[in-house]
Amino acid sequence: MGGKRFAVLLCAEDSEYVVKMYGGYFGVFVRMLAEEGETWDVYRVASGEFPEDDEIDTFDGFVITGSCNDAHGNDVWICKLLSLLKKLDSKKKKILGICFGHQILCRALGGKTGRAVSGWDIGITTINFSAPSKLSSSVKMPAVLSVIECHRDEVKELPARAEVIAWSNKTGVEMFRCGDHIMGIQGHPEYTKDILFHLINRLLQRDFIVVHVFTFNIDLSTRPLD
């Protein structure tokens, strides 16, 4: 018998820097999540590459990445991703959504997403875990955890069958779960500070953010030189 098989649903374009340093975001996720004996594949869904119906059953689980796109948007690939996620849920496939993935997963299950009233959240955020009874008794969780974040959208309303498992002072739904097979995380546990600084540079270059209107939750004096 072979090991388990997982797929990353890549919702962003790799930058040259991330490809050079980490083998792309697929490489970043594999380093964080993969265990010995597992097989990992990638589908570049933002470019229209999706698993065929007969491929879905060959996977044990899927990871949805972050994206520069809005989870509340209606781009063709986003609508197709919503349909795929509904199908995966119906098959009880394990699904982990990160940032955009967290939001699009919520939307696919019947929740609502949109712009955060408080604006961008960029840097290190302290998240608070909900009552331990909401988590598996086999997993020991800390009361609080520091996570890298970079988002301006958020989950506005959870799906009816989902529950919040972590929150922060800025974001009401930092993590949620739905049954025993779905979890969403607003932060970026896969990021290093190096990746975050690189992303901030990209956002500045594209005029998505203006540096003087923010207080970043990080020490910019440690920012690597270009």
Side-chain angles (χ1 to χ4, degrees):
M1 293 288 290
K4 291 185 177 181
R5 189 181 182 201
F6 299 93
V8 172
L9 304 178
L10 190 61
C11 303
E13 293 182 7
D14 286 323
S15 69
E16 290 183 9
Y17 179 81
V18 174
V19 170
K20 178 182 177 181
M21 299 299 294
Y22 302 96
Y25 285 112
F26 174 63
V28 172
F29 276 99
V30 169
R31 283 187 182 87
M32 178 179 74
L33 297 171
E35 296 184 359
E36 187 176 352
E38 295 176 348
T39 300
W40 283 74
D41 296 310
V42 60
Y43 291 92
R44 301 179 186 280
V45 295
S47 299
E49 182 185 349
F50 285 80
E52 298 292 340
D53 286 348
D54 60 353
E55 291 180 296
I56 291 175
D57 288 334
T58 68
F59 289 99
D60 294 281
F62 296 80
V63 178
I64 320 159
T65 73
S67 177
C68 288
N69 291 76
D70 298 326
H72 53 272
N74 291 307
D75 305 61
V76 173
W77 73 269
I78 288 178
C79 292
K80 191 171 181 179
L81 179 58
L82 288 167
S83 296
L84 172 61
L85 296 178
K86 291 174 184 177
K87 186 176 297 183
L88 296 180
D89 176 38
S90 71
K91 291 176 176 288
K92 301 298 182 188
K93 293 292 183 181
K94 299 286 187 182
I95 314 172
L96 172 65
I98 303 294
C99 197
F100 167 90
H102 160 87
Q103 297 159 14
I104 199 73
L105 190 50
C106 170
R107 180 182 172 189
L109 298 173
K112 295 179 181 178
T113 66
R115 287 281 188 265
V117 175
S118 56
W120 282 93
D121 186 2
I122 300 179
I124 311 296
T125 296
T126 298
I127 66 172
N128 307 275
F129 285 94
S130 302
S133 60
K134 292 186 176 182
L135 299 171
S136 169
S137 59
S138 63
V139 179
K140 185 173 171 124
M141 302 296 290
V144 298
L145 187 68
S146 295
V147 179
I148 292 177
E149 308 232 3
C150 186
H151 65 99
R152 62 174 171 175
D153 295 340
E154 66 181 3
V155 169
K156 296 285 191 181
E157 184 179 316
L158 274 180
R161 55 196 176 94
E163 61 181 349
V164 177
I165 56 175
W167 54 275
S168 70
N169 291 337
K170 195 161 187 176
T171 304
V173 184
E174 286 284 0
M175 294 176 63
F176 77 90
R177 65 178 288 185
C178 191
D180 293 324
H181 65 292
I182 289 175
M183 179 177 288
I185 303 175
Q186 181 57 72
H188 285 278
E190 83 281 13
Y191 274 13
T192 61
K193 277 192 177 181
D194 176 56
I195 293 176
L196 176 62
F197 285 130
H198 170 70
L199 181 55
I200 290 172
N201 279 337
R202 292 183 74 193
L203 292 172
L204 287 168
Q205 289 165 8
R206 297 183 182 189
D207 295 324
F208 281 115
I209 59 175
V210 180
V211 71
H212 70 268
V213 301
F214 287 96
T215 300
F216 293 111
N217 301 321
I218 43 179
D219 180 4
L220 289 176
S221 65
T222 64
R223 177 176 174 271
L225 297 175
D226 296 329

